[in-house]
């Protein structure tokens, strides 16, 4: 009895993702994941509101509010990035 190699590889490839555990973020990873998800949602909401305003589906007040929220979210992300880079550079300057 012979087993077709392609069929065996296909069966293995299909079963492998089912047995691999999903990594769960913990601690700081979970916080950064929530932050990134919130940033993404805010930017998408701003884009959606901007597109609706261009087609006449949203009032100008909603557009200004969405753009202000998006600007604040981006500024927050840039500030966090700058702090992380600064901390990394400080670690690099430490004597060994």
């Amino acid at each position: 009895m012979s087993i077709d190699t392609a069929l065996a590889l296909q069966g293995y490839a299909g079963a492998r993702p089912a047995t691999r555990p999903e990594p769960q973020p913990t601690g700081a990873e979970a916080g950064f994941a929530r932050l990134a998800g919130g940033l993404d949602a805010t930017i998408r909401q701003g884009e959606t509101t901007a597109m609706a305003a261009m087609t006449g589906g949203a009032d100008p007040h909603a557009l200004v509010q969405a753009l202000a929220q998006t600007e604040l979210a981006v500024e927050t992300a840039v500030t966090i990035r700058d702090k992380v880079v600064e901390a990394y550079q400080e670690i690099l300057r430490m004597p060994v």
Side-chain angles (χ1 to χ4, degrees), residues 46-83:
E47 288 176 349
T48 303
T49 305
M51 283 189 230
M54 284 188 264
T55 60
D59 62 321
H61 178 70
L63 176 62
V64 170
Q65 185 178 7
L67 291 176
Q69 288 176 344
T70 302
E71 182 181 6
L72 182 63
V74 170
E75 286 176 1
T76 303
V78 168
T79 302
I80 291 172
R81 182 209 58 195
D82 291 344
K83 291 291 184 181

Side-chain angles (χ1 to χ4, degrees), residues 32 35 77-91:
F32 285 125
L35 179 69
V78 168
T79 302
I80 291 172
R81 182 209 58 195
D82 291 344
K83 291 291 184 181
V84 168
V85 169
E86 183 181 324
Y88 179 72
Q89 288 174 344
E90 186 67 29
I91 290 171

Side-chain angles (χ1 to χ4, degrees), residues 6-51:
L7 182 62
L9 286 174
Q10 184 180 17
Y12 175 73
R16 189 172 64 189
T19 59
R20 185 180 317 143
E22 291 292 325
Q24 297 296 322
T26 58
E29 291 178 18
F32 285 125
R34 280 195 311 274
L35 179 69
L39 176 66
D40 183 50
T42 302
I43 291 174
R44 287 187 190 276
Q45 180 184 5
E47 288 176 349
T48 303
T49 305
M51 283 189 230

